[in-house]
Amino acid sequence: MPSSAASDYVGRFAPSPTGPLHAGSLVAALASWLDAQAHGGQWLVRIEDVDTPRCIPGAAEIILQQLALCGLHSDGPVLRQSERAAHYQAALDALIAQGLAYPCGCSRKEIEAAQSQQPARHSAAVYPGTCRPSPYGLGLQGKAPRAWRLNIQAVRDLHHLPAVTPWMDAQLGPQQQNVAQDVGDFVLLRADGLWAYQLAVVVDDALQGVTHVVRGADLCDNTARQMVLQKALGLPRPQYLHTPLVLADDGEKLSKQNGAQALDLSHPLRALNAAAVHLGLPAQTGSVQEALSQWTALWSTNESTH
Ligand code: GLU
């Protein structure tokens, strides 16, 4: 059962408004809400609209209406990342001041050309470190800065971090990633002037006091990067739980991008039941409120398994 200290718990659901909620995003919403309820905690909704070209006007309002129909209401004001640039800039400035972020002048073509020279163990997605400043590299060498990147080696040196970032996922068990090798110096501020998801999510999770991140397993791969960034910024590390993905009929991950159908919320309990069953919880009859309380009780009982 949740302990009495559990009221420190702050969870969140952080949808990108690239379309209405689909079956997969409702699973993440429900799981994060249930985990917060089971711990007697708060549940916050944050609209992650930093990647403006991918956002669809009005989608945020639709998502909030869909959540409301499902009985899921944010316990605090709904933050929108598009209004929080000053916080992201302050974080980037702090990293720059410590020599942990550097400007990159490489175009996509130049990065691809440099990657083709690299040993095969580097995946195509790894930035080769061309613009890393001294003593880690040669710097911009006269190129105009385009994006800002995290200097992972500098973070590791400053904070005495091992190459591999290990963590315990509450659903998936032990996880680890060598961020420098598998991802490389990732982007914090994009060449198009937009804030990168990694920076925005880490800053907001910390500023909102989020203690538990419950989200879809498709985002698991970002976790080690976010942990390195938390270290670099001196921010606490929340606990992570990644929920099983809902797959489309063709076995592909269900996403707004592959045309996942918007949820039919003419019968909210039907949609919630599908999400709950996916989480290993039994379908309910009765009202949405009754179903949510039943699932909360079951989630609390099974807490050790989450
Ligand atoms: N905004 C992200 C998405 O909708 C989720 C980010 C997160 O939960 O960390 O895919």
Side-chain angles (χ1 to χ4, degrees), residues 12-18 25 28 46-49 54 81 197 201 205 213-216 218-219 222 226 240 242 253 256:
R12 56 38 159 212
F13 175 57
S16 304
T18 53
S25 34
R46 181 172 73 226
I47 300 295
E48 299 213 318
D49 54 356
R54 286 183 57 234
Q81 290 190 322
Y197 157 67
V201 82
D205 281 343
V213 171
V214 176
R215 60 187 178 189
D218 54 325
L219 293 159
N222 296 285
Q226 293 171 13
Y240 289 87
H242 290 90
K253 172 182 105 105
K256 294 165 198 161

Side-chain angles (χ1 to χ4, degrees), residues 19-296:
L21 292 183
H22 56 72
S25 34
L26 185 61
V27 168
L30 179 62
S32 60
W33 187 89
L34 288 173
D35 205 50
Q37 302 308 305
H39 286 83
Q42 276 188 290
W43 182 73
L44 304 174
V45 176
R46 181 172 73 226
I47 300 295
E48 299 213 318
D49 54 356
V50 269
D51 192 355
T52 39
R54 286 183 57 234
C55 295
I56 292 181
E61 288 65 34
I62 294 174
I63 290 172
L64 294 173
Q65 284 163 12
Q66 291 178 302
L67 291 171
L69 282 171
C70 291
L72 310 178
H73 302 276
S74 182
D75 290 319
V78 174
L79 291 194
R80 286 169 194 257
Q81 290 190 322
S82 54
E83 295 165 3
R84 299 175 57 74
H87 296 287
Y88 311 142
Q89 185 66 56
L92 178 61
D93 289 346
L95 293 171
I96 295 170
Q98 296 176 85
L100 302 180
Y102 63 90
C104 171
C106 297
S107 65
R108 196 177 291 262
K109 269 199 178 138
E110 286 168 325
I111 295 174
E112 280 165 12
Q115 279 163 343
S116 62
Q117 317 276 311
Q118 290 200 338
R121 74 181 173 85
H122 285 276
S123 109
V126 177
Y127 175 65
T130 321
C131 297
R132 223 174 267 149
S134 164
Y136 298 97
L138 297 173
L140 281 169
Q141 297 182 80
K143 280 192 278 191
R146 292 164 53 89
W148 283 84
R149 292 180 182 273
L150 187 70
N151 188 336
I152 296 174
Q153 190 55 51
V155 177
R156 284 189 51 206
D157 290 348
L158 185 64
H159 293 282
H160 310 290
L161 301 180
V164 170
T165 303
W167 83 96
M168 179 58 76
D169 188 277
Q171 178 82 36
L172 304 174
Q175 305 288 314
Q176 61 171 48
Q177 188 179 43
N178 182 329
V179 180
Q181 186 182 294
D182 297 350
V183 186
D185 291 348
F186 54 89
V187 169
L188 304 168
L189 179 59
R190 293 165 26 167
D192 58 8
L194 296 176
W195 294 101
Y197 157 67
Q198 308 294 352
L199 181 70
V201 82
V202 160
V203 167
D204 284 338
D205 281 343
L207 289 182
Q208 292 192 281
V210 169
T211 58
H212 289 69
V213 171
V214 176
R215 60 187 178 189
D218 54 325
L219 293 159
C220 188
D221 182 45
N222 296 285
T223 311
R225 261 172 280 180
Q226 293 171 13
M227 289 172 171
V228 172
L229 206 37
Q230 284 153 2
K231 281 279 183 200
L233 288 164
L235 301 173
R237 176 194 283 196
Q239 292 185 41
Y240 289 87
L241 187 163
H242 290 90
T243 58
L245 283 190
V246 178
L247 298 180
D249 291 342
D250 57 5
E252 289 292 308
K253 172 182 105 105
L254 195 65
S255 72
K256 294 165 198 161
Q257 283 71 42
N258 75 4
Q261 296 216 325
L263 284 171
D264 174 7
L265 286 171
S266 52
H267 299 283
L269 186 61
R270 205 179 285 164
L272 279 167
N273 270 334
V277 166
H278 190 75
L279 291 166
L281 297 165
Q284 301 290 324
T285 52
S287 71
V288 163
Q289 282 317 319
E290 284 161 355
L292 290 174
S293 347
Q294 285 296 330
W295 290 325
T296 301

